[in-house]
Amino acid sequence: SAVISQKPSRDICQRGTSLTIQCQVDSQVTMMFWYRQQPGQSLTLIATANQGSEATYESGFVIDKFPISRPNLTFSTLTVSNMSPEDSSIYLCSVKSSRTGKETQYFGPGTRLLVL
Amino acid sequence: AQSVTQPDIHITVSEGASLELRCNYSYGATPYLFWYVQSPGQGLQLLLKYFSGDTLVQGIKGFEAEFKRSQSSFNLRKPSVHWSDAAEYFCAVGADIGGGSNYKLTFGKGTLLTVNP
């Protein structure tokens, strides 16, 4: 399995500011994913980030609000811009990895964001 | 579009009792199926997965799940629950979007498991 780390693990931010979340993987992966988990809710895919190309955003998510970088095959960042209290969520980085056979999707520990 | 239903929002069991968490999916083809567990303050950990083959899948921590195509279900089971199993459990279906193992996950809303001593 892939080992995924995220920074910061949690943060408290003021509305109107931005926060950049980092995701580091211990192996090279083609696709990295960013999810949001709002309080008491399930996971929602924000975007898929491929190295060397623009991220692909899901319906309801836009690049201006959630810009993503993917500079290499082991690292990605997600920025939550111009934050409001509605952005308070857990943000999870995810990758697909396999030793043999089909790839399995693994998740990082998450970044817990509270916007005041 | 695919969807996942976890009918039980919250389940309480006694330690040592058996457990079954229900998961039903809607998808037009053979799905890839997963169970993840999220302990308090933690990320998601993969318990088990089904891609094809044997419909009874063994996972970590003594969990198993059975894919029943006729019922569109993938229920998670454990014969004897431990206090450390208290967590939230998410069922997910992977819809094939082409390219071999290229699939997109859709998650259920989760089942919160409480274990009484």
Side-chain angles (χ1 to χ4, degrees):
Chain A
S1 65
V3 177
I4 306 169
S5 60
Q6 288 184 231
K7 290 182 182 179
S9 59
R10 59 180 67 239
D11 207 340
I12 301 173
C13 300
Q14 297 297 319
R15 68 172 67 210
T17 63
S18 297
L19 176 72
T20 295
I21 302 168
Q22 299 178 7
C23 177
Q24 180 77 49
V25 190
D26 68 339
S27 57
Q28 294 183 339
V29 293
T30 304
M31 289 190 289
M32 296 179 77
F33 307 88
W34 287 98
Y35 285 80
R36 181 176 72 182
Q37 185 180 20
Q38 294 177 298
Q41 301 297 312
S42 186
L43 282 77
T44 301
L45 179 63
I46 298 172
T48 301
N50 291 332
Q51 194 267 337
S53 63
E54 294 287 328
T56 302
Y57 289 82
E58 297 297 307
S59 176
F61 297 96
V62 296
I63 187 171
D64 289 347
K65 176 67 175 177
F66 297 101
I68 288 171
S69 77
R70 182 79 201 273
N72 58 52
L73 292 173
T74 63
F75 187 79
S76 177
T77 67
L78 169 76
T79 298
V80 186
S81 303
N82 188 26
M83 287 184 286
S84 68
E86 291 71 34
D87 294 318
S88 298
S89 296
I90 302 173
Y91 292 87
L92 296 113
C93 174
S94 177
V95 304
K96 285 182 182 171
S97 177
S98 70
R99 292 182 183 178
T100 59
K102 290 194 183 294
E103 292 183 313
T104 297
Q105 198 159 335
Y106 298 97
F107 288 81
T111 295
R112 283 150 182 80
L113 171 62
L114 176 63
V115 184
L116 302 177
Chain B
Q2 67 276 12
S3 66
V4 179
T5 302
Q6 293 181 246
D8 304 305
I9 297 173
H10 187 192
I11 284 182
T12 300
V13 300
S14 298
E15 190 169 17
S18 63
L19 173 69
E20 182 169 30
L21 302 182
R22 295 184 290 166
C23 172
N24 293 97
Y25 67 89
S26 174
Y27 182 55
T30 299
Y32 305 141
L33 295 162
F34 308 82
W35 275 98
Y36 290 86
V37 60
Q38 186 176 36
S39 298
Q42 304 295 313
L44 269 70
Q45 181 181 21
L46 178 69
L47 283 176
L48 47 77
K49 60 191 177 186
Y50 171 81
F51 287 125
S52 65
D54 193 345
T55 56
L56 183 61
V57 180
Q58 301 298 320
I60 62 171
K61 303 184 179 186
F63 285 93
E64 67 177 27
E66 186 171 12
F67 169 49
K68 292 186 177 180
R69 185 190 304 273
S70 61
Q71 299 177 19
S72 298
S73 69
F74 190 58
N75 294 348
L76 182 71
R77 300 192 294 248
K78 186 170 185 177
S80 178
V81 170
H82 188 262
W83 64 266
S84 61
D85 293 324
E88 187 145 28
Y89 291 78
F90 292 94
C91 180
V93 59
D96 193 340
I97 55 177
S101 61
N102 197 6
Y103 58 86
K104 180 178 176 180
L105 284 182
T106 298
F107 285 85
K109 296 194 173 191
T111 297
L112 180 64
L113 175 66
T114 298
V115 180
N116 287 335

